[in-house]
């Protein structure tokens, strides 16, 4: 059975078991604003919460298993393809990839303090211009200058 189906079943089982405990009087159920809550002194009432918690964990983990199965099949098809074989034999394509230089830059605004980073002067200058524009817009909007 798929992991996401098991996760849904565990969550539903936890809610049903919690409802059964409330009907039997083991748990007391209430509603604060629109948030439901359960009060109990019986240690057995932890079982529905564990079922729900494990169900949510399985729901979060299930995409990993689904994607792994999909990519394992595509991975084999890719390397058995003739295009991949030709790319390995073509030396020009490999040399072109080695000559490319990647540049990056960015900024983080922590309140009014800008943090600028990058590996290329051009990207750093662009980030500095963006910071100046952001700070000017901030000043204009705060003091109603626009």
């Amino acid at each position: 059975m798929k992991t996401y189906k098991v996760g849904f079943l565990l969550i539903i089982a936890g809610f049903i078991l919690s409802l059964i405990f409330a009907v039997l009087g083991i748990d007391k159920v209430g509603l604060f604003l629109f948030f439901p809550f359960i009060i109990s002194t019986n240690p057995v009432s932890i079982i529905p919460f564990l079922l729900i918690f494990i169900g949510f964990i399985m729901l979060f983990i299930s995409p990993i298993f689904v994607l792994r199965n999909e990519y394992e099949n595509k991975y084999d098809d890719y390397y058995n393809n003739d295009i991949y074989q030709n790319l390995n034999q073509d030396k020009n394509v490999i040399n072109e990839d080695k000559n490319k230089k990647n540049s990056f830059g960015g900024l983080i605004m922590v309140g009014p303090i800008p943090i600028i980073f990058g590996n290329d002067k051009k990207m750093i200058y662009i980030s500095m211009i963006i910071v100046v524009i952001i700070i000017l817009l901030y000043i204009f909007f705060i003091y109603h200058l626009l």
Side-chain angles (χ1 to χ4, degrees), residues 39-77:
I39 300 172
S40 179
T41 57
N42 196 343
V44 176
S45 64
I46 195 74
I47 294 172
F49 293 107
L50 288 176
L51 289 175
I52 294 170
F53 182 72
I54 292 170
F56 276 117
I57 289 175
M58 291 189 79
L59 281 179
F60 285 119
I61 291 175
S62 66
I64 296 170
F65 293 116
V66 172
L67 290 175
R68 185 188 64 177
N69 291 336
E70 285 182 20
Y71 285 117
E72 282 179 354
N73 296 336
K74 290 181 181 179
Y75 184 76
D76 293 336
D77 292 340

Side-chain angles (χ1 to χ4, degrees), residues 72-89:
E72 282 179 354
N73 296 336
K74 290 181 181 179
Y75 184 76
D76 293 336
D77 292 340
Y78 179 74
Y79 286 112
N80 292 333
N81 196 349
D82 291 335
I83 295 172
Y84 177 75
Q85 302 297 332
N86 292 337
L87 282 177
N88 261 346
Q89 295 170 359

Side-chain angles (χ1 to χ4, degrees), residues 22-48:
V23 169
L24 292 177
I26 297 172
D27 294 341
K28 294 182 182 179
V29 180
L31 195 63
F32 177 71
L33 297 175
F34 56 90
F35 298 108
F37 65 90
I38 298 172
I39 300 172
S40 179
T41 57
N42 196 343
V44 176
S45 64
I46 195 74
I47 294 172

